[in-house]
């Protein structure tokens, strides 16, 4: 898996991924009805994130026959498949494989098409150029792990099922924080993302997603681009924080993170329990895109610039006067706060996200080279105490000699 690094004064990025693999459940069937065994690539969030350890209970699929003239002929549309004894079978009347060796082009997603209220995802131009439209919820807790699959298969051997492998359509974004300040304590309780795509169309890949990628440790190979979905017609909403129509992506930590000197704290990333990943409630699942960072030199106040991405970290930074203490006292002064409470801190965010990849942003409070700004004033936060030193020359007293 490729590695990337993005560094500002207080922000660093490393691409990483996880989720242990498990054996794939495959059971035989004794008829010619269309049924599947399925796999997914890694990443999971409780029952809402999926991998081979946590497969979706159902999905929706459409199938077509290639007419040979660049168009597709409908075979089944938006059929609901549900897990039954380890096999995903159609809900309702059976559908059957073509018996003449004809292969079907099968497109699938785990989200119910046209379910606007719950998923805000729907199929578009399915017959000729399949793709879906998606609008992600603004609250990280409500965002979906959208899966997609494309395969071209005919009737399997007797007693076997066709297999279908899903990939992740979105990018996973998580945050950590490090306190590199020698004499200060940092508290964080909220993270907001601005100027990111809040809608777009996902086009299915041109080649099948049959290859199940099970190693996201860095040793594996990212799938061929022709087997990865693409995103287009991206929609970006209003940037103004106070605008009720603005689509600002938000995650609120379950409890305030307290970060002392030298500590690296996990804000929204997963935990590993018994070899499986858990605690994904506050993880972001965003539409993949490439978008420049907010340019502070061009627009000191971030909300005045609509063509640059940035984040707000709701935090406080408190000075520790006693050099021997590790935590501030009640009398210690705040370097940055709203009367002792957390306050938004703006940080530029350079976005280059790919589908099915996990991006870990480490916010390093180090007070070096700028990078964090008060959004209300545009002024830099964490300005180190530095001096330019001059010394007055001794002045000649001239005619003021004193006789002794």
């Amino acid at each position: 898996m490729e590695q990337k690094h993005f560094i500002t004064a207080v922000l660093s990025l490393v691409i990483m991924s996880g989720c242990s693999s498990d054996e794939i459940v495959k059971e035989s069937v004794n008829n010619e009805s269309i049924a599947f065994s399925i796999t997914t690539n890694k990443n999971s969030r409780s029952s809402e994130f999926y991998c081979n350890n946590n497969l979706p209970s159902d999905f929706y699929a459409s199938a077509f026959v290639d007419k040979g003239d660049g168009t597709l002929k409908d075979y089944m549309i938006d059929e609901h498949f549900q897990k039954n004894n380890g096999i995903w079978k159609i809900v309702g009347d059976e559908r059957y494989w073509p018996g003449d060796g004809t292969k079907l082009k099968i497109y699938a997603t785990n989200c119910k098409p046209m379910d606007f209220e719950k998923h805000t995802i729907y199929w578009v131009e399915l017959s000729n150029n399949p793709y879906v439209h998606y609008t992600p919820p603004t609250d990280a807790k409500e965002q979906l792990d959208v899966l997609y699959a494309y395969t071209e298969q005919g009737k399997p051997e007797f007693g076997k099922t066709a297999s279908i492998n899903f990939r992740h359509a979105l990018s996973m974004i998580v945050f950590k924080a490090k306190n590199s300040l020698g004499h200060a304590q940092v508290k964080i309780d909220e993270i907001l993302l601005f100027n990111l795509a809040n809608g777009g169309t996902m086009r299915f890949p041109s080649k099948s997603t049959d290859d199940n990628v099970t190693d996201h440790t860095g040793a594996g190979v990212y799938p061929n681009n022709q087997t990865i979905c693409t995103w287009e017609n991206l929609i970006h909403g209003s940037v103004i924080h106070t605008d009720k129509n603005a689509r600002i992506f938000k995650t609120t930590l379950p409890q305030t993170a307290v970060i002392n000197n030298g500590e690296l704290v996990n804000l929204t990333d997963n935990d590993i329990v018994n070899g499986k990943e858990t605690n994904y409630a506050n993880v972001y699942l965003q539409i993949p895109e490439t978008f420049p960072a907010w340019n502070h030199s061009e627009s000191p106040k971030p909300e005045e610039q609509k063509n640059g991405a940035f984040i707000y970290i709701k935090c406080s930074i408190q000075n520790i006067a006693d050099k021997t203490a590790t935590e501030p006292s009640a009398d210690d002064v705040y370097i940055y706060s709203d009367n002792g409470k957390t306050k938004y801190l703006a940080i530029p965010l350079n976005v280059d996200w790919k589908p099915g990849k996990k991006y870990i942003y480490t916010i390093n409070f180090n007070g070096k080279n700028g990078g964090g700004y008060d959004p209300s004033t545009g002024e830099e936060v964490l300005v180190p105490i530095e001096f330019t030193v001059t010394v007055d020359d001794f002045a000649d007293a001239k005619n003021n000699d004193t006789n002794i």
Side-chain angles (χ1 to χ4, degrees):
M1 183 182 68
E2 67 185 78
Q3 294 286 327
K4 295 183 180 180
H5 299 275
F6 165 67
I7 300 176
T8 68
V10 296
L11 195 65
S12 61
L13 160 65
V14 181
I15 300 175
M16 303 177 67
S17 279
C19 185
S20 58
S21 67
D22 220 350
E23 292 186 2
I24 310 305
V25 178
K26 292 185 178 179
E27 297 187 11
S28 63
V29 293
N30 295 316
N31 56 42
E32 297 182 349
S33 62
I34 296 177
F36 299 94
S37 62
I38 70 173
T39 55
T40 71
N41 291 345
K42 295 185 172 183
N43 288 345
S44 70
R45 157 159 86 174
S46 182
S47 61
E48 296 179 358
F49 278 67
Y50 304 104
C51 65
N52 290 337
N53 288 332
N54 185 43
L55 298 171
S57 60
D58 56 359
F59 64 90
Y60 297 82
S62 295
F64 308 90
V65 176
D66 191 340
K67 295 170 63 177
D69 60 358
T71 62
L72 303 177
K73 181 179 180 180
D74 296 354
Y75 194 83
M76 66 179 187
I77 303 295
D78 293 351
E79 292 288 3
H80 185 194
F81 285 79
Q82 198 165 61
K83 186 177 181 180
N84 183 4
N85 293 324
I87 297 297
W88 283 256
K89 299 181 179 181
I90 202 164
V91 177
D93 295 337
E94 296 277 15
R95 294 277 192 172
Y96 296 91
W97 292 102
D100 58 359
T102 299
K103 287 188 175 182
L104 297 178
K105 291 179 176 290
I106 301 168
Y107 300 85
T109 176
N110 62 314
C111 298
K112 181 179 180 181
M114 305 305 292
D115 191 350
F116 294 100
E117 183 176 352
K118 185 175 182 181
H119 295 306
T120 57
I121 185 168
Y122 56 92
W123 297 84
V124 186
E125 292 185 10
L126 198 56
S127 295
N128 293 311
N129 198 7
Y131 63 93
V132 298
H133 182 83
Y134 178 64
T135 302
T138 56
D139 191 331
K141 294 191 294 295
E142 298 175 358
Q143 291 178 336
L144 305 171
D145 185 8
V146 177
L147 304 178
Y148 68 94
Y150 167 59
T151 185
E152 186 174 345
Q153 299 187 42
K155 183 173 67 175
E157 295 179 15
F158 181 78
K160 295 184 179 180
T161 59
S163 61
I164 187 168
N165 181 63
F166 285 89
R167 301 207 195 287
H168 300 275
L170 303 174
S171 301
M172 180 182 289
I173 314 300
V174 302
F175 289 91
K176 299 176 186 249
K178 183 177 182 180
N179 181 358
S180 299
L181 303 172
H183 303 290
Q185 183 185 77
V186 177
K187 293 182 179 180
I188 300 174
D189 55 24
E190 188 177 82
I191 303 171
L192 304 180
L193 306 183
F194 287 78
N195 270 2
L196 299 177
N198 56 62
T201 53
M202 183 211 77
R203 192 174 298 280
F204 283 86
S206 59
K207 293 190 176 181
S208 75
T209 62
D210 293 346
D211 179 28
N212 179 228
V213 180
T214 59
D215 185 358
H216 280 196
T217 64
V221 178
Y222 193 63
N224 184 290
N225 284 338
Q226 292 179 306
T227 74
I228 301 296
C229 71
T230 55
W231 286 88
E232 55 193 46
N233 301 322
L234 300 186
I235 301 170
H236 289 79
S238 171
V239 67
I240 306 303
H241 188 198
T242 56
D243 184 351
K244 293 182 180 180
N245 296 319
R247 293 189 58 80
I248 300 164
F249 298 99
K250 174 182 179 180
T251 185
T252 302
L253 307 189
Q255 60 185 22
T256 300
V258 179
I259 314 168
N260 293 312
N261 178 36
E263 291 182 342
L264 175 64
V265 173
N266 179 7
L267 299 177
T268 65
D269 199 7
N270 64 291
D271 295 324
I272 305 295
V273 178
N274 296 326
K276 296 184 180 181
E277 294 175 329
T278 61
N279 268 356
Y280 273 105
N282 299 291
V283 167
Y284 281 111
L285 282 172
Q286 299 295 138
I287 291 177
E289 64 174 319
T290 299
F291 204 68
W294 154 54
N295 188 329
H296 177 265
S297 62
E298 293 181 0
S299 178
K301 294 183 179 181
E303 294 182 20
E304 294 178 354
Q305 182 177 354
K306 296 184 178 181
N307 295 318
F310 58 93
I311 62 177
Y312 275 1
I313 305 296
K314 199 173 185 184
C315 65
S316 65
I317 307 171
Q318 189 173 8
N319 182 60
I320 301 175
D322 185 350
K323 295 197 325 186
T324 63
T326 58
E327 296 185 0
S329 69
D331 295 329
D332 275 328
V333 175
Y334 281 89
I335 301 170
Y336 189 75
S337 75
D338 180 11
N339 294 320
K341 298 180 180 180
T342 54
K343 178 182 178 179
Y344 288 120
L345 172 72
I347 302 174
L349 181 67
N350 190 38
V351 174
D352 187 11
W353 298 339
K354 302 294 189 296
K357 287 195 175 184
K358 175 181 176 181
Y359 297 81
I360 300 176
Y361 287 84
T362 298
I363 306 156
N364 188 3
F365 291 83
N366 56 26
K368 298 177 181 179
N369 302 321
Y373 305 91
D374 185 336
S376 61
T377 64
E379 295 179 352
E380 184 180 347
V381 176
L382 286 177
V383 179
I385 297 178
E386 298 175 338
F387 297 95
T388 298
V389 177
T390 59
V391 178
D392 287 345
D393 291 338
F394 285 105
D396 188 348
K398 296 184 178 179
N399 296 324
N400 293 324
D401 292 343
T402 302
N403 293 322
I404 298 177

